[in-house]
Amino acid sequence: MAELFEAVASWPTLLLVLLVFGFAPGFVLRLLVLVYPCTDPRRRELIAELYTVPRIQRPLWVTEQLEVALFEGLAHRIRAIRSITRRRRARVQSYKRAKRLRFASVAVVGVAVGVIVDTIVTWDWAVGIASWIVAVAVAVIVLRERAARRRLSARARRRFWP
Amino acid sequence: MRKTHALVQVAMALLEDPTGKHWGYELSKQAGVRSGVMYPMLTRMLDEGWLADGWEDEATIREKRPARRYYELTDEGRLQLGAILQEARSDARFRGLNWRFA
């Protein structure tokens, strides 16, 4: 009996009780709510509700929240990721379309210049000038895009590894 | 919304105080429904417009805790949940439930 009393009243038991009923519920719940997207009000709600749950019931209540977080939070998170991916894909597509349009307009301008020049000088000269204009314009576009990409990746690097 | 035991129990708990504020934990205790079932149901009710939500005024909190989120029944919610309870009362599936109010 004395041994049992000593075991119950020992320091490790006290630490275990403090951990299970004091520290662990709040810590685990704060980790669990990270499953929800950061804009979801349920993150704040669940943390606030924890303080109204009697201390003795907290470990079990937090375990119940695992179910909520997995079935509700994960679904919200997946939906949020999907919408971000869709938006990003649309942006990439519009970027590609703009790029194609830019190349097409350069080609049209080159041909138009060639035709105009053809009326003034000989055909060979006109073709030569037009192809030079197209080549220079394409080179300018490619260089500008490369510089923009480099700027973007530098900004992304600064954002994630400041 | 599918009529389940949990929905009927939550409807009963909400309609016990149709104009008052309801808090997540208290509501789950009152309705006797696990929070794993109740929170998704509250989200659906919010989406349907049966409930409105808000945050507790921090100036009124005496204890050392963050502001809680509350739920209030809307007019539409009172109508719909009342209708659900009416139907459930005559449904044999819900005969075992503890009907708290007339």
Side-chain angles (χ1 to χ4, degrees), chain A residues 21 25 55-66, chain B residues 35:
Chain A
F21 293 98
R55 212 166 265 281
I56 195 91
Q57 290 175 11
R58 281 185 192 177
L60 203 68
W61 187 81
V62 169
T63 319
E64 269 183 26
Q65 301 321 305
L66 176 67
Chain B
S35 47

Side-chain angles (χ1 to χ4, degrees), chain B:
Chain B
M1 214 182 284
R2 212 160 59 87
K3 213 187 321 155
T4 57
H5 272 78
L7 175 67
V8 173
Q9 279 166 298
V10 170
M12 271 198 281
L14 285 169
L15 286 173
E16 268 186 23
D17 184 8
T19 52
K21 288 176 180 171
H22 299 274
W23 316 92
Y25 178 68
E26 274 91 356
L27 195 63
S28 84
K29 284 275 141 197
Q30 213 177 329
V33 175
R34 282 182 307 116
S35 47
V37 177
M38 196 199 60
Y39 282 116
M41 194 182 289
L42 290 180
T43 308
R44 280 203 299 276
M45 285 185 187
L46 280 170
D47 293 342
E48 298 273 350
W50 297 359
L51 287 179
D53 65 334
W55 291 92
E56 201 176 8
D57 184 9
E58 290 201 9
T60 61
I61 306 171
R62 294 209 188 97
E63 307 95 45
K64 208 177 159 190
R65 62 169 174 79
R68 285 187 296 161
R69 190 185 187 189
Y70 64 81
Y71 299 91
E72 279 175 317
L73 274 172
T74 59
D75 293 338
E76 170 75 8
R78 274 188 280 273
L79 273 175
Q80 295 287 347
L81 291 178
I84 285 174
L85 284 190
Q86 279 288 338
E87 281 173 32
R89 210 178 287 267
S90 53
D91 196 329
R93 276 195 303 150
F94 304 107
R95 215 160 272 162
L97 281 179
N98 177 24
W99 294 92
R100 282 191 286 260
F101 60 98

